[in-house]
Amino acid sequence: MNKQDWYLNQLGITQYVLRNPSVMKGESAMNIADNVRLIVVSQLVPTDKIFYDILKAIHLTEQDCLILSPSQLIMPIEQVNHVIWFIDQPLPDPWQTSPLLESKAIITTVSLTQLALSPNLKRQLWHNLCQYENHFNA
């Protein structure tokens, strides 16, 4: 412990240490396995029957998906090369104003419970999934 650390400790000041300081320097990287065809961003891991029905309809398995919580999605929109499905989550703030937003394969839906109860929302989701069919079969 150096002198400055000792003084801060004596004053009762808590020091925080970054777990991954390279992220602050813009060196963050997400390693996405080659088999991943769909990134799902959801607060909870989807377990609803409709989720598995959707995966089956687009010929994917759970192993073809990378499921992330919103805090785990650290990639900038420029690095997005997969279909990303936000389930009941807003897009990250920097993404919302990006000029690249329209050119990326991004799907947003309400919760799976609400989706299961609405034929119109399911139809809209299906239309979006069909747009990105070539991403799932790559």
Side-chain angles (χ1 to χ4, degrees):
M1 180 181 291
N2 64 32
K3 194 173 183 178
Q4 180 181 2
D5 293 339
W6 184 84
Y7 281 122
L8 291 172
N9 190 8
Q10 293 300 308
L11 294 170
I13 297 173
T14 303
Q15 295 185 73
Y16 295 95
V17 179
L18 293 174
R19 280 187 234 154
N20 191 355
S22 64
V23 171
M24 296 299 287
K25 297 175 186 172
E27 298 174 15
S28 65
M30 285 188 67
N31 294 325
I32 300 173
D34 292 338
N35 66 306
V36 172
R37 298 287 175 250
L38 176 66
I39 299 173
V40 177
V41 180
S42 177
Q43 196 63 45
L44 302 171
V45 175
T47 57
D48 302 61
K49 181 182 181 309
I50 190 170
F51 178 72
Y52 296 104
D53 290 345
I54 291 166
L55 291 183
K56 186 176 180 181
I58 59 176
H59 306 291
L60 295 181
T61 64
E62 210 173 343
Q63 289 73 31
D64 299 322
C65 297
L66 174 61
I67 300 173
L68 301 173
S69 69
S71 62
Q72 291 175 313
L73 183 67
I74 59 171
M75 72 172 69
I77 195 168
E78 295 82 17
Q79 293 178 2
V80 174
N81 296 322
H82 294 76
V83 177
I84 300 185
W85 178 12
F86 288 87
I87 300 175
D88 201 26
Q89 295 298 315
L91 297 177
D93 288 336
W95 290 27
Q96 293 176 14
T97 57
S98 173
L100 298 174
L101 185 61
E102 296 298 320
S103 65
K104 298 298 180 174
I106 299 173
I107 299 170
T108 59
T109 64
V110 295
S111 70
L112 293 173
T113 305
Q114 291 173 309
L115 189 64
L117 297 173
S118 173
N120 288 335
L121 293 175
K122 284 191 270 190
R123 192 175 302 112
Q124 183 181 6
L125 173 60
W126 186 250
H127 176 72
N128 289 334
L129 290 170
C130 287
Q131 279 184 296
Y132 306 124
E133 184 178 8
N134 59 332
H135 290 273
F136 303 130
N137 299 326

